[in-house]
Amino acid sequence: MTTAACAGFYPFVYAADQPETALYALFGPVALGMLSSIPGSGRQRAAVMLRALPVGLVLVALGTVLAVHTWTAVLGMLVVGFALAFAAVAGPRPASAAPGLQLFYILACFPPYAPEALGARLAGLTLGVLLLAACEVFLLPAPPATTYRESLAEAVTIAGRAAEAAAAGAEGVEGAEGSADSAERLRAAGAQLRLSRLPPAERPAGAGRSDRALAQAGAAARRLLDQLAQLGDTPRTGRNEEAEADADRHAAAGPDRDAGAEAQADAASAGLLGRIAEHCATTAHALRTGHPPPRSGPPALEMAIRNFQALRIAQSTGPLEAAPPVAALRRQAAVLAMAESTRSLQTSVRVGLHGRRTRPIQPQALFWYADARTPRLWWRRLVGHTTLRSVQFQNATRTALGLGAARLVAGSLDLSHGFWVLLAVLTLGRTTAGATWTAVRSALAGTLAGAIAAGTLLVVVGQHPDAYAGVLAPAMLAAFALGPLLGIAWAQALFTLVVSDAFAQIAPASWQLAEARIVDVVTGSAIGLLCGLLAWPAGARREVQRNMSDLLRSCGPLITGTVRVLLTTPPGSAPLPATPPVVHRLRLAEAAYLQHRSEPGEPSAEFMDWHAVLITANHVLLGAHWLPRFDLPGTAVPPDAAAWARTTADRLALATDGVAALCSEESAPLRPPALPGHDAPPELRGSASLPTLIDLEQWLNSLAAQLARIEGSVPAGR
């Protein structure tokens, strides 16, 4: 940053005598280098800067034109401030460049109104940004971080090894269990795919097709790893009552027939686990090479899943004494869920690496983006966050109002160097009132110290530009290097010295320049603090509670709707439950949670385990999509079992409402009802509906356990 700023500033001040060009050549690197924390390697940062340059040129031109009147500049500031701050919905890279782009408009929209200087301004900005991009690539470039695809490939490789070991264990290979990755390592590998664990530049948070698909692939990989970790907890012997009934039944049939039925069930599970391992290997290879997984090669999972389910139906409808134990069927249900996660993983990776539109992919509610046009994808992202419940919308509104008010005050009071007022609002504003006040206190102390140092320099040096030129480069290097390390106070002190020194070289200046800097920063701090107090002062904390509560309440109807689809007669005649409301609320809740975790506060002071709420909602969505697909024709559930399933689903929906009530501090502490485990009714043995009922039982009991975990995270005083 120092090299780029000096290389553009000095020649235009001392050789070309173009102060306007020099000013923009200086603030180009300052805006996109210091003010914008662009993530990534040197090449990634340079690419973002070059893409931001055309937008910056437009903003400088717009600010130059609107500087004719204060009210036009204020209106422009409101629109530009909101639009650039709202760009956070597009992902971390556009969001990181937004503060620097704000500064380009701020610089140009202040008097004097000089449209004739537009060419010089654009030339200086272009040169400054190009120099900074070149320095990012060639001068001490930041090394590249591990890419998201590499992290995902490693996680999928671990899942494949675990599935292969589990398949060998299911076939009875001696010592196979010891070769499997431990449950802790599997869960740790999944945790590495959390967005908070990834470098910001590598997070698939954009609205495009590839980012959406890779983000979905990451969620599927985490789910698969968690399912593999839980597979060891799936007992090979059933619950007490079922085990006793199975023992009596198989004692009459003979041990050989019992062993044969269970061996056949385990062999089927091992076969499907082997398919899962093969597809994990091809998916990991595709992620490392960048080529979509081939549709040929390992046998298609879709066909393997159908054959596996058909075998389960055949085993369940055979002679009663030859049917496999219920524990074996439960293990099959767990393997079947893993196969569906693997299919979702490979499909998502194929779409993400391909990048172009495809034919509709089933289930279309999950892969709706695969055949959607790119403008529609962006439109859905923008419309989805155009609500007061979106933290991105709140942040954009707060920023726009603060910058607009600052521009109005600076213009009305005719403050000298009034753009410093807006710069203070831009740099000191935080998402909570408490964090803003902390930043303002440090900034005022630093600005005062920096102003004293700058005033002393201006008095001692006087009108000797050569002395200022000798101080500028070391001061910039100190500000850019030490400011981020030592905190806001040091950053403001050093930056005050830098800007005072730079402006003293552009035009004659006295100690009053330092005084103007103090006045402007105090004014901007007051405006920023006022906006922080009036506009959502609690930050994302309240929105996390509200969005999580709404998310859980929307899950209840989806649970009961999924059970209704499975129990309808004839099977498949009921429409699938609507998932868009849950998906929309899930996106808002995820955005609020990400901001909440970035705000000051101890993790131990969490009001609730919000991440567990997000996992529960994802599990509800997954079951709503894959359970109806496994409900084969002709497997209607008998009335008594259907009554059990409906009652359990209704109680679970009531439990989600109870936990949703706990999410909000304003609500009464309504504890959810207990959900004891339910065993499959023994009279269903020998029925084709037993696999469907076991799949449903696994899903409902898993959701009940997750809700209990969420409830257990609430403080005792609630």
Side-chain angles (χ1 to χ4, degrees), residues 274-313:
R275 295 285 184 268
I276 291 172
E278 292 174 356
H279 281 269
C280 284
T282 58
T283 302
H285 177 73
L287 286 166
R288 291 189 175 99
T289 61
H291 301 295
R295 295 184 180 273
S296 59
L301 260 185
E302 186 71 27
M303 185 60 67
I305 290 173
R306 291 180 181 177
N307 293 339
F308 185 79
Q309 181 69 343
L311 178 62
R312 295 175 72 207
I313 296 293

Side-chain angles (χ1 to χ4, degrees), residues 13-365:
V13 171
Y14 296 102
D17 193 22
Q18 294 288 333
E20 195 82 19
T21 306
L23 178 65
Y24 281 80
L26 171 69
F27 274 95
V30 169
L32 291 181
M34 185 190 74
L35 193 58
S36 299
S37 300
I38 300 176
S41 64
R43 290 187 177 274
Q44 289 175 322
R45 288 166 55 86
V48 173
M49 293 169 185
L50 293 178
R51 284 195 292 267
L53 177 57
V55 180
L57 296 176
V58 171
L59 292 172
V60 169
L62 181 64
T64 301
V65 173
L66 296 181
V68 61
H69 297 296
T70 297
W71 66 269
T72 56
V74 170
L75 291 179
M77 188 73 263
L78 289 171
V79 174
V80 170
F82 180 86
L84 291 177
F86 196 58
V89 302
R93 291 185 189 175
S96 64
L101 294 174
Q102 301 269 22
L103 182 58
F104 294 151
Y105 176 85
I106 291 171
L107 278 172
C109 75
F110 272 91
Y113 174 63
E116 68 280 359
L118 179 59
R121 294 176 176 180
L122 298 180
L125 178 60
T126 302
L127 178 64
V129 174
L130 291 179
L131 286 172
L132 179 61
C135 289
E136 288 286 354
V137 175
F138 300 110
L139 183 61
L140 302 176
T146 302
T147 66
Y148 178 73
R149 276 171 36 190
E150 291 172 346
S151 300
L152 183 57
E154 179 62 24
V156 174
T157 300
I158 293 174
R161 287 202 304 263
E164 185 177 6
E171 291 174 340
V173 177
E174 185 177 357
E177 293 293 339
S179 64
D181 290 298
S182 66
E184 292 77 12
R185 188 186 177 194
L186 292 173
R187 292 190 173 95
Q192 292 302 317
L193 295 177
R194 291 178 58 180
L195 293 184
S196 59
R197 303 281 184 90
L198 297 170
E202 299 300 332
R203 295 172 185 171
R209 187 175 294 102
S210 293
D211 275 6
R212 290 179 185 269
L214 290 176
Q216 186 170 338
R222 287 193 62 195
R223 187 166 60 245
L224 176 60
L225 288 164
D226 188 62
Q227 290 166 336
L228 285 165
Q230 293 176 354
L231 184 62
D233 299 332
T234 304
R236 291 182 179 273
T237 58
R239 296 169 184 161
N240 291 337
E241 298 84 355
E242 291 171 342
E244 292 174 1
D246 284 336
D248 294 341
R249 169 170 53 108
H250 293 141
D256 293 339
R257 184 171 300 180
D258 176 24
E262 187 167 7
Q264 187 179 13
D266 286 343
S269 297
L272 190 55
L273 283 168
R275 295 285 184 268
I276 291 172
E278 292 174 356
H279 281 269
C280 284
T282 58
T283 302
H285 177 73
L287 286 166
R288 291 189 175 99
T289 61
H291 301 295
R295 295 184 180 273
S296 59
L301 260 185
E302 186 71 27
M303 185 60 67
I305 290 173
R306 291 180 181 177
N307 293 339
F308 185 79
Q309 181 69 343
L311 178 62
R312 295 175 72 207
I313 296 293
Q315 289 177 332
S316 300
T317 54
L320 182 63
E321 63 276 6
V326 174
L329 292 176
R330 285 198 174 98
R331 182 176 174 84
Q332 286 184 330
V335 173
L336 192 61
M338 285 188 283
E340 182 60 25
S341 296
T342 306
R343 190 190 76 87
S344 176
L345 166 65
Q346 191 173 56
T347 303
S348 302
V349 169
R350 182 178 292 113
V351 174
L353 296 181
H354 192 273
R356 296 187 292 272
R357 292 181 66 192
T358 66
R359 291 177 297 178
I361 299 175
Q362 297 300 326
Q364 199 164 1

Side-chain angles (χ1 to χ4, degrees), residues 33 126 170 201 234 296 347 369 423 493 553 558 565 607 710:
T126 302
T234 304
S296 59
T347 303
Y369 56 84
L423 188 58
R553 287 193 172 95
L558 189 56
V565 171
F607 176 69
I710 298 171

Side-chain angles (χ1 to χ4, degrees), residues 455-497:
T456 302
L457 178 68
L458 293 170
V459 170
V460 172
V461 174
Q463 305 300 322
H464 294 87
D466 293 345
Y468 295 121
V471 172
L472 181 60
M476 278 197 293
L477 185 59
F480 297 154
L482 299 180
L485 296 177
L486 301 179
I488 296 177
W490 280 91
Q492 287 291 328
L494 293 170
F495 188 67
T496 299
L497 182 61

